[in-house]
Amino acid sequence: MNMMTAIGIDLGGTNIKGVLLDAAGRIIDQCMETTKPEQGGGDRNGAHWKQAVSHMIGRLRSKSAGTVTAIGLAAPGLPDESNTAIRVMPGRLNGLEDLRWSDYLHEKTVWVLNDAHAALTAEAKFGAGQEVKNIVMLTWGTGVGGGILINGELYAGNGQKAGHLGHMVLDIDREERGITGMPGTLENAIGDATILQRSFGRFASTHDLVKGYKQGDVFATYIWLNTVRKLALGLCSLCNLLSPDLIILGGGITKAGDALYKPLSDFIALYEWKIAGKTTPIRQAHYSDMAGAVGAAGFALGRTLSAQRA
């Protein structure tokens, strides 16, 4: 009998990531490319990333020893009730809303879910959150997303809107509003999409900012530590609201290592409400920035097998 495999795609604002996954959560093959076309190449309504997803699926399918059992796609935004398309995605990735991926890719079924929900699915099922019942996961990259696991089940909420942790408000006096209409959000405070503005044009990416911090640049140190402080405040707020057993941090920026986790630990020690000295553990995502793709594959495999048993 051929080994069951699934393809998972994570479509982000910066990169497209793909994995070929087996039923135990092992990555057989993986790949990544930029979401945006080369300068001057032009793009109409997301044509570049749509084609890139199609080519990536073909590449990953060629690496499978047998028939690919399921295909899942994770993307920012809110999926429809049937998990076949992203229903709402304001302001980014034009052409994504209401795109039925099964039709576009000429596949029988492509299961679609929110990218941060996919990342949490990966970590809870196969990674850093195995056998933990109550988890908050925050994903930090171009934007800031998240997911909530309650009693071992993903909590999607009304309209699958739950877990958009990046849209909590940290500063009610800020004038600019995020994509959900809320001012002064965590996403605007720490997301890579705003780093050029937050650093007064000095740093083009958070990666560059962290590099400056490691080199002892005074301005980079100020911007980075203030960013980490705001992350700590957001996490401590979530602990007060949800009291999870575990917090998982995922996304490319969380690979900064001690440059992130040392100051984050110090700030959380200052702000966290501890009961009888008990603190909330924080773990790095096992799958790091591939968690969304892994979760999309795992979600698709689970839905496909459930449909076969029904």
Side-chain angles (χ1 to χ4, degrees), residues 83-258:
N83 287 94
T84 57
I86 293 295
R87 178 174 53 87
V88 177
M89 181 58 240
R92 296 178 192 163
L93 292 171
N94 290 333
L96 177 62
E97 287 186 340
D98 297 318
L99 173 63
R100 288 183 59 86
W101 283 96
S102 57
D103 293 341
Y104 177 78
L105 296 169
H106 305 293
E107 298 283 351
K108 181 179 179 181
T109 305
V110 177
W111 296 101
V112 179
L113 73 164
N114 173 266
D115 51 359
H117 287 184
L120 175 56
T121 298
E123 296 300 330
K125 189 174 180 63
F126 305 119
Q130 290 184 76
E131 299 182 4
V132 180
K133 288 188 175 181
N134 302 298
I135 302 172
V136 165
M137 181 170 182
L138 186 138
T139 58
W140 185 9
T142 304
V144 177
I148 302 167
L149 194 79
I150 298 177
N151 290 328
E153 298 289 336
L154 177 69
Y155 177 68
N158 183 19
Q160 302 206 48
K161 191 171 66 174
H164 277 71
L165 309 182
H167 302 298
M168 72 169 73
V169 174
L170 293 186
D171 185 355
I172 63 172
D173 294 322
R174 296 298 294 266
E175 295 298 328
E176 80 279 4
R177 300 196 298 168
I179 61 173
T180 64
M182 299 291 279
T185 63
L186 179 65
E187 178 171 280
N188 280 350
I190 72 173
D192 201 49
T194 62
I195 187 59
L196 195 64
Q197 175 190 357
R198 290 188 285 115
S199 66
F200 303 97
R202 287 277 299 276
F203 298 99
S205 69
T206 306
H207 174 78
D208 293 339
L209 176 67
V210 174
K211 184 177 179 181
Y213 167 73
K214 290 179 177 179
Q215 292 172 346
D217 182 285
V218 173
F219 185 72
T221 298
Y222 163 69
I223 297 294
W224 175 242
L225 292 181
N226 196 37
T227 297
V228 177
R229 172 179 171 269
K230 291 174 180 178
L231 171 62
L233 286 166
L235 295 179
C236 288
S237 297
L238 289 167
C239 287
N240 292 341
L241 288 168
L242 297 170
S243 191
D245 300 316
L246 173 67
I247 292 174
I248 298 175
L249 297 183
I253 298 174
T254 65
K255 294 193 293 184
D258 287 346

Side-chain angles (χ1 to χ4, degrees), residues 5 11-12 51 76 90 157 171 232 237:
T5 60
L11 174 61
Q51 292 169 7
D171 185 355
S237 297

Side-chain angles (χ1 to χ4, degrees), residues 3 6-7 14 17 23 37 52 64 69 76 99 106 113 127 139 169 210 215 232 234 241 251 264 272 285 288 310:
M3 175 179 64
I7 291 172
T14 303
K17 301 150 195 166
S64 178
T69 306
L99 173 63
H106 305 293
L113 73 164
T139 58
V169 174
V210 174
Q215 292 172 346
L241 288 168
L264 179 61
E272 186 178 13
S288 189

